[in-house]
Amino acid sequence: MNAQEQITALRNLLHKHNHSYYVLDTPTISDFDFDMKLKELQTLEAKHPEFDDPTSPSLRVGGGVTKNFETTKHNFRMYSLDNSYSKEDLQNWETRIKKQVDGPVSYTCELKYDGASISLTYQGGNLLRAVTRGDGHQGDNVTTNIKTIKSVPLQLKGDFPDHFEIRGEIVLPFDGFNKMNQARVAQGEEPFRNPRNTASGSLKLQDSALVAKRPLECLLYSLVGDNVPVATQMQGLEKAAAWGFKVPKIAKLVTSIDAVLDFVNYWDIHRSDLPYETDGVVIKVNNLQQQEELGYTAKAPRWAMAYKFKAQQVSTKLEEITYQVGRTGAITPVANLTPVALAGTTVKRASLHNADQIALLDIRVGDTVYVEKGGEIIPKIVGVNLALRSQDSSATIYTDKCPQCTTPLSRTPGDAKHYCPNERGCPPQIIGRIQHFISRKAMDIEGLGGETVALLVHAGVIQNFADLYDLSVEDVLPLERMAQKSAENLVTGVARSKQIPFHRVLFAIGIRYVGETVAKKLAKHFKSIDALMAANFQELVQVDEIGDSIAQSVIDFFALQTSADLFSPANTAGERNREMISRLKSHHLQLAVSSETLAGQTSVLNGNTFVVSGVFTKLSRTELKKSIEDNGGKVSSSISSKTTYVVAGDNMGPSKQAKAEALGVTIISEDQFLEMI
Ligand code: AMP
Ligand code: ZN
């Protein structure tokens, strides 16, 4: 075999194993052997770029980076679905159908998968393009990312048409979702809230190698086009499966609304056994000819109907209320429940929010409580079954001490939360602040995870984030499970973080209310930590979008000793914070905006507010907005009397146009804008 034949053989083999594993759920090769074959293919492909193929299974590992997803018009609009909630709704729907079409009507019942919709286009059996729903008329071209999803066939088999579109839903099954979250929590990162948002967020990641690591799946549900080679929806599903797509086998053909309801009622109960989230049933007129006669309303097909499941609710016993302490000292009460199955996961804990919420629902330990899970992954307690309350139960008394350091809690009037004021001695606050400092959006320290931070603090090796920069390999080696290599990685990772730009350092140090965006604003305005520390309240609130509470919080963070403290040996929080800053400075972290960032920034647009609307040719919307801000202008999302200019691209909405004209706001083109700067 020559190299080309070898490459082709390997590609075919890997396509086949992929299909068995991810579409049919019946592996035909060990993971190890698969990886070896894939490596072999990758090596050969690297040697022979002349045989590149946009459908090679090696693309599954990702690697392509997309900076801006190209907006792509749908050849066929991606509609919404009308919703129904009762038998009557469905019967009315059937009556409307029967008025419009002749002959008997049958329906397919499918599950409504809860993820992100996607439209795939195939040409000659190869995946050509994958586009998100967007606004239904146009979406984002996310092909590079979609190619990493292993249940999406890159090449089809059988009697597929030469050119067609197929639609489906990208979902993140519970199992993979939970594993991802466990790993994130172990890394000190925030867990993802729910599979649906995580799935749709994943499609927009710029780095496809990251998408490849997310256990996404693609479930297909309809062929689209003027000449699909089938007569019914059910045949379409069968064909799609035969060509190599993953099509859940749950779909059922029925001939009456009563049978539709049987399907709904069955899956309302059994959906918790499914590996992925569903939020209802989709009922479609089976005959495509009839579908065509029925057509579409402005928003949805007349031939399809969604039936939404009710939020799932179960009851279980509240065993104990415990309290968690966050990095800011905020206390969150947690309900510890007798484990109960709900919507595909086992629920053991639920947030109780705050003292007022507990009082409002009169929630007591020993109560049988109703737990509900809607869109959110964290379940909530929605009520108490008073009939089952025991005689000797007593009202919950909210804790008045920190569960971790026993310091009496404080509560500012108007704030729903209690706080532990022991900033310096309360372990979860100390650890939480450092975990925040190293997190991805802050200093992004590679080689150091949330658990290691906890170990370092407990072992007394570090007390604050400035201490990280004094760490040597010898300091961390004694830690449990710390090997030479990982110790070295940790120290290198810390050293590398000295390059992280100023605005992220500002976010990392954890000033209350100074999130990512506010940190950027402050960094841009003051340009250095020294200037920020010297700023007074007036100067702070003059910065765009910096309100009183942020300003006060910055002042407090750096506040120097007051006369009342003069005789106390302990420093004030402000002094300690200033000392930390000077330690970070001595380690050469970026505590001012770098000269590179300053280059390309002007103030020519100072005092002008812009609204950006439409599609642009030379710059992406994000680039356009950035260059407005870089040049001192302000970007706003809606037109008002305060707007100076509207930068209009193609397809600017007519209502925006009318509004701009009515208010006498100047409309400029992309080119005119570029001239201004
Ligand atoms: P909605 O966004 O609530 O109007 O519902 C429409 C969306 O449901 C479509 O964009 C699809 O992505 C999604 N959907 C999930 N499962 C199905 C299915 N089996 N058939 C059609 N649409 C589905
Ligand atoms: Zn405490």
Side-chain angles (χ1 to χ4, degrees):
M1 258 199 285
N2 63 28
Q4 184 172 19
E5 287 164 349
Q6 247 179 310
I7 289 179
T8 312
L10 277 168
R11 284 180 183 156
N12 289 341
L13 187 78
L14 290 171
H15 275 311
K16 235 178 71 205
H17 288 308
N18 235 323
H19 181 254
S20 313
Y21 191 106
Y22 291 104
V23 178
L24 306 176
D25 294 323
T26 44
T28 42
I29 185 175
S30 74
D31 289 358
F32 179 77
D33 288 338
F34 187 93
D35 287 345
M36 296 311 286
K37 296 263 184 247
L38 183 62
K39 285 226 173 71
E40 206 181 324
L41 174 62
Q42 284 170 318
T43 317
L44 279 170
E45 285 182 337
K47 263 197 234 157
H48 296 283
E50 68 272 26
F51 303 135
D52 261 1
D53 178 346
T55 64
S56 169
S58 59
L59 296 165
R60 301 291 195 193
V61 295
V65 173
T66 318
K67 276 264 175 301
N68 293 299
F69 295 99
E70 176 202 354
T71 308
T72 305
K73 213 170 144 18
H74 293 298
N75 287 330
F76 300 92
R77 182 167 156 195
M78 290 181 85
Y79 283 90
S80 275
L81 290 170
D82 280 333
N83 285 319
S84 59
Y85 301 90
S86 65
K87 185 173 178 170
E88 289 67 48
D89 289 349
L90 287 177
Q91 282 167 337
N92 292 338
W93 178 53
E94 180 166 61
T95 314
R96 291 198 299 274
I97 291 172
K98 295 256 157 108
K99 268 190 210 152
Q100 250 185 293
V101 301
D102 299 322
V105 179
S106 58
Y107 306 94
T108 59
C109 301
E110 297 163 36
L111 290 175
K112 189 165 190 289
Y113 320 113
D114 203 9
S117 11
I118 195 81
S119 181
L120 308 176
T121 305
Y122 283 80
Q123 172 82 48
N126 296 335
L127 175 63
L128 185 68
R129 189 167 59 233
V131 182
T132 62
R133 178 159 104 173
D135 63 2
H137 297 282
Q138 54 184 35
D140 289 322
N141 184 331
V142 290
T143 315
T144 315
N145 285 345
I146 293 296
K147 281 187 178 170
T148 68
I149 301 176
K150 315 219 178 23
S151 50
V152 173
L154 301 178
Q155 278 182 359
L156 304 180
K157 52 200 179 84
D159 58 342
F160 48 81
D162 188 51
H163 186 100
F164 71 100
E165 256 181 79
I166 183 164
R167 297 207 171 141
E169 197 86 357
I170 308 288
V171 298
L172 189 50
F174 290 120
D175 200 29
F177 177 76
N178 290 335
K179 284 205 185 104
M180 267 173 69
N181 267 349
Q182 278 156 15
R184 286 180 71 87
V185 171
Q187 292 285 316
E189 290 173 276
E190 280 279 299
F192 288 120
R193 269 182 54 232
N194 64 50
R196 189 211 316 122
N197 292 354
T198 314
S200 56
S202 302
L203 298 188
K204 298 292 194 59
L205 289 175
Q206 296 193 337
D207 181 358
S208 62
L210 292 179
V211 186
K213 292 204 185 104
R214 300 204 172 166
L216 300 164
E217 270 190 26
C218 181
L219 308 175
L220 282 308
Y221 53 72
S222 91
L223 294 177
V224 187
D226 289 328
N227 41 11
V228 291
V230 292
T232 68
Q233 164 67 8
M234 204 60 176
Q235 282 171 10
L237 295 179
E238 283 156 9
K239 278 286 181 203
W243 298 335
F245 293 101
K246 185 157 195 156
V247 180
K249 295 205 179 61
I250 287 157
K252 192 173 177 192
L253 187 62
V254 301
T255 51
S256 71
I257 292 298
D258 279 332
V260 168
L261 285 164
D262 288 342
F263 184 92
V264 169
N265 292 334
Y266 179 86
W267 284 108
D268 199 355
I269 299 165
H270 290 88
R271 65 177 150 139
S272 54
D273 305 333
L274 292 167
Y276 41 77
E277 204 156 18
T278 56
D279 61 345
V281 166
V282 184
I283 307 125
K284 299 172 188 166
V285 170
N286 190 40
N287 185 314
L288 298 189
Q289 180 63 42
Q290 290 178 336
Q291 284 192 5
E292 207 181 307
E293 285 165 38
L294 288 161
Y296 297 82
T297 67
K299 161 185 165 269
R302 290 201 187 85
W303 45 263
M305 188 58 92
Y307 192 105
K308 286 276 171 95
F309 292 136
K310 286 184 268 320
Q312 277 176 296
Q313 205 186 70
V314 286
S315 67
T316 187
K317 190 172 150 193
L318 173 58
E319 293 183 348
E320 192 192 1
I321 296 176
T322 53
Y323 299 87
Q324 268 178 359
V325 192
R327 78 173 153 94
T328 59
I331 306 290
T332 305
V334 177
N336 294 263
L337 308 163
T338 305
V340 59
L342 175 62
T345 48
T346 305
V347 175
K348 296 184 213 121
R349 288 145 63 86
S351 165
L352 288 168
H353 302 289
N354 53 47
D356 295 344
Q357 182 70 10
I358 294 176
L360 187 74
L361 295 174
D362 186 20
I363 296 170
R364 305 177 181 190
V365 170
D367 276 350
T368 299
V369 291
Y370 298 111
V371 188
E372 205 174 272
K373 194 147 111 178
E376 282 87 52
I377 199 72
I378 299 168
K380 52 180 185 230
I381 291 182
V382 292
V384 175
N385 185 342
L386 291 175
L388 296 182
R389 176 172 280 173
S390 92
Q391 296 274 304
D392 51 13
S393 120
S394 55
T396 296
I397 298 167
Y398 202 78
T399 187
D400 57 358
K401 288 193 193 67
C402 174
Q404 298 282 332
C405 70
T406 68
T407 306
L409 299 181
S410 64
R411 185 181 189 183
T412 350
D415 196 338
K417 291 238 174 213
H418 287 69
Y419 284 88
C420 166
N422 183 15
E423 247 176 79
R424 290 174 79 193
C426 185
Q429 295 189 56
I430 297 171
I431 294 168
R433 282 195 300 266
I434 306 174
Q435 286 175 336
H436 168 74
F437 185 82
I438 67 161
S439 65
R440 203 167 47 81
K441 289 182 171 166
M443 301 304 281
D444 193 18
I445 297 188
E446 249 175 76
L448 178 59
E451 278 185 353
T452 309
V453 167
L455 285 177
L456 286 165
V457 171
H458 287 307
V461 186
I462 57 172
Q463 266 104 48
N464 54 54
F465 44 74
D467 292 345
L468 289 172
Y469 294 90
D470 292 325
L471 284 179
S472 66
V473 171
E474 293 71 45
D475 291 332
V476 288
L477 261 182
L479 286 190
E480 230 177 291
R481 282 178 314 195
M482 182 61 77
Q484 179 76 26
K485 187 83 196 122
S486 19
E488 283 167 11
N489 287 346
L490 192 161
V491 174
T492 340
V494 169
R496 272 210 200 114
S497 73
K498 295 179 184 174
Q499 302 310 320
I500 294 289
F502 174 47
H503 64 93
R504 282 171 57 183
V505 181
L506 193 53
F507 170 58
I509 60 177
I511 306 175
R512 195 186 280 185
Y513 306 134
V514 178
E516 272 181 283
T517 327
V518 172
K520 269 191 198 152
K521 294 242 151 75
L522 290 174
K524 209 176 135 217
H525 185 91
F526 290 101
K527 305 207 165 45
S528 74
I529 196 87
D530 293 327
L532 180 67
M533 287 196 291
N536 62 30
F537 187 85
Q538 273 316 314
E539 287 160 342
L540 281 161
V541 289
Q542 263 161 28
V543 182
D544 235 353
E545 283 168 55
I546 304 298
D548 289 3
S549 46
I550 300 176
Q552 192 55 50
S553 165
V554 173
I555 298 281
D556 289 348
F557 191 85
F558 295 117
L560 283 174
Q561 210 165 20
T562 60
S563 56
D565 297 323
L566 270 176
F567 300 101
S568 91
N571 295 344
T572 63
E575 276 190 347
R576 286 194 307 274
N577 290 333
R578 281 171 184 257
E579 191 202 311
M580 297 270 275
I581 299 292
S582 67
R583 283 181 64 198
L584 296 182
K585 244 188 220 168
S586 68
H587 286 291
H588 306 293
L589 273 77
Q590 306 296 311
L591 291 166
V593 178
S594 77
S595 46
E596 282 148 58
T597 319
L598 283 175
Q601 295 193 352
T602 72
S603 49
V604 290
L605 303 180
N606 265 0
N608 294 316
T609 301
F610 291 78
V611 171
V612 172
S613 174
V615 184
F616 299 91
T617 46
K618 302 208 170 109
L619 299 174
S620 73
R621 284 170 77 95
T622 330
E623 285 165 347
L624 188 59
K625 287 183 186 164
K626 186 169 179 302
S627 80
I628 293 172
E629 284 173 350
D630 281 349
N631 291 289
K634 193 181 157 193
V635 180
S636 156
S637 58
S638 62
I639 301 174
S640 71
S641 55
K642 291 198 187 116
T643 312
T644 340
Y645 296 105
V646 174
V647 190
D650 292 340
N651 295 332
M652 168 169 164
S655 62
K656 276 207 171 142
Q657 175 116 28
K659 188 150 185 208
E661 279 162 12
L663 291 169
V665 176
T666 315
I667 302 180
I668 58 171
S669 69
E670 186 179 9
D671 286 327
Q672 284 171 310
F673 169 77
L674 289 171
E675 263 165 43
M676 287 173 97
I677 60 169

